[in-house]
């Protein structure tokens, strides 16, 4: 039997079978990020690794093109890794899974495709951090959930608003963790500390900022409410 292609474009063929990334947010419902962007991924290496050491790890993989930049977080530094031209979502997924087997790598996550044709729209990626707001007096329950999910508190704005971190040794992926947190009665909201990679004048994606730094998200309202009491 001869093979046939049913898709109407090369793009549809390349994205077939790729993961659709989403999580449940108790304020806004299901948040859908779509498929991974094939151009770039975010990688968390062990603290203290030099640029040269990170490049040595990455250069063992044929999908790797270059290190494009870094994103500073409270939990450490994320490395923005660029893939070879014409890489697709499947390439980004496969490289991420391979890198997670490296002892020097603690976390890998994709960027996602733009949702519009606006050339100034940033690429959005998942960092290893997420913000959690809880009901007053529920810190002990939060600590139990942290132990169950093998996550950790990176910093706290108050007893009710915290920044947490996940890695490859956590109970599951960060989006599943976010869903689990949002399903708890004592949690007001749990949201990822997204990375926004903004295009520069040349069209390259280099200027990266986090949701926490840009003060984006429902957790900000919880923080402000606590401050005003």
């Amino acid at each position: 039997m001869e093979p046939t292609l049913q898709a109407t474009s090369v793009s549809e063929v390349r994205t077939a079978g790729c993961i659709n990334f989403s999580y449940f947010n108790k304020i806004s419902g299901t948040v859908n990020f779509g498929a991974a962007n094939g151009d770039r991924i975010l990688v968390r290496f062990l603290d203290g690794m030099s640029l040269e050491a990170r490049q040595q790890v990455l250069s063992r993989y044929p999908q790797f093109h270059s290190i494009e930049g870094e994103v500073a977080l409270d939990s450490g530094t994320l490395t923005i890794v660029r893939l070879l031209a014409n890489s697709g979502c499947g390439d980004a997924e496969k490289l991420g899974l391979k890198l997670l087997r490296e002892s020097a790598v603690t976390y890998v996550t994709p960027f996602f495709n733009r949702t519009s044709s606006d050339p100034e729209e940033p690429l959005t990626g998942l960092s290893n951090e997420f913000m959690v707001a809880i009901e007053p007096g529920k810190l002990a329950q939060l600590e139990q959930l942290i132990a169950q999910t093998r996550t950790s508190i990176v910093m706290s704005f108050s007893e009710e608003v915290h920044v947490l971190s996940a890695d490859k040794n956590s109970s599951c992926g960060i989006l599943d963790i976010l869903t689990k947190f949002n399903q708890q009665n004592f949690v007001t909201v749990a949201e990822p500390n997204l990375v926004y990679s903004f295009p520069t004048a040349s069209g390259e994606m280099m200027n990266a900022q986090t949701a926490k730094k840009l003060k984006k998200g429902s957790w900000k309202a919880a923080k402000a409410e606590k401050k005003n009491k």
Side-chain angles (χ1 to χ4, degrees):
M1 181 180 295
E2 294 183 2
T4 59
L5 291 178
Q6 299 298 325
T8 58
S9 71
V10 174
S11 176
E12 290 181 25
V13 175
R14 292 184 64 82
T15 58
C18 287
I19 296 171
N20 184 72
F21 293 83
S22 65
Y23 81 99
F24 170 72
N25 182 303
K26 67 183 352 173
I27 292 179
S28 56
T30 299
V31 179
N32 187 10
F33 295 106
N37 177 276
D39 294 333
R40 297 161 179 82
I41 59 174
L42 288 163
V43 182
R44 176 87 163 88
F45 289 91
L46 294 174
D47 290 331
M49 283 189 67
S50 66
L51 178 63
E52 181 181 5
R54 284 176 279 165
Q55 285 177 326
Q56 287 178 347
V57 172
L58 293 165
S59 63
R60 295 199 288 268
Y61 298 94
Q63 299 99 327
F64 170 65
H65 178 273
S66 59
I67 290 178
E68 189 171 86
E70 297 179 341
V71 184
L73 303 173
D74 292 300
S75 58
T77 301
L78 279 175
T79 302
I80 301 175
V81 177
R82 187 164 189 170
L83 279 62
L84 289 177
N86 300 318
S87 296
C89 53
D91 299 305
E93 289 177 17
K94 291 174 185 176
L95 177 58
L97 289 172
K98 291 175 182 177
L99 286 172
L100 284 173
R101 300 189 187 104
E102 295 278 354
S103 59
V105 174
T106 64
Y107 179 86
V108 182
T109 193
F111 279 96
F112 304 106
N113 291 317
R114 292 186 178 97
T115 57
S116 73
S117 59
D118 182 359
E120 295 186 0
E121 180 185 353
L123 288 179
T124 301
L126 289 168
S127 78
N128 57 298
E129 293 182 352
F130 58 105
M131 281 79 77
V132 178
I134 60 173
E135 299 289 344
K138 301 297 183 179
L139 183 58
Q141 287 180 254
L142 175 64
E143 290 172 341
Q144 290 178 355
L145 185 57
I146 288 171
Q148 291 172 8
T149 55
R150 298 195 293 276
T151 52
S152 59
I153 293 179
V154 176
M155 67 160 292
S156 300
F157 292 105
S158 66
E159 288 193 357
E160 287 79 42
V161 184
H162 308 270
V163 179
L164 275 64
S165 176
D167 61 24
K168 68 180 181 183
N169 296 313
S170 296
S171 62
C172 50
I174 194 166
L175 292 177
D176 289 331
I177 288 174
L178 283 164
T179 294
K180 185 176 183 66
F181 272 75
N182 276 291
Q183 290 171 338
Q184 310 305 309
N185 291 333
F186 68 90
V187 173
T188 305
V189 68
E191 296 176 314
N193 187 15
L194 295 171
V195 175
Y196 299 99
S197 184
F198 294 89
T200 62
S202 63
E204 295 296 313
M205 310 294 291
M206 288 288 289
N207 181 19
Q209 302 288 345
T210 65
K212 176 176 173 287
K213 187 171 183 179
L214 295 173
K215 299 180 180 179
K216 288 189 174 186
S218 300
W219 64 275
K220 180 189 173 186
K223 178 175 174 283
E225 181 180 349
K226 172 66 179 176
K227 184 177 179 180
N228 293 330
K229 286 184 177 179

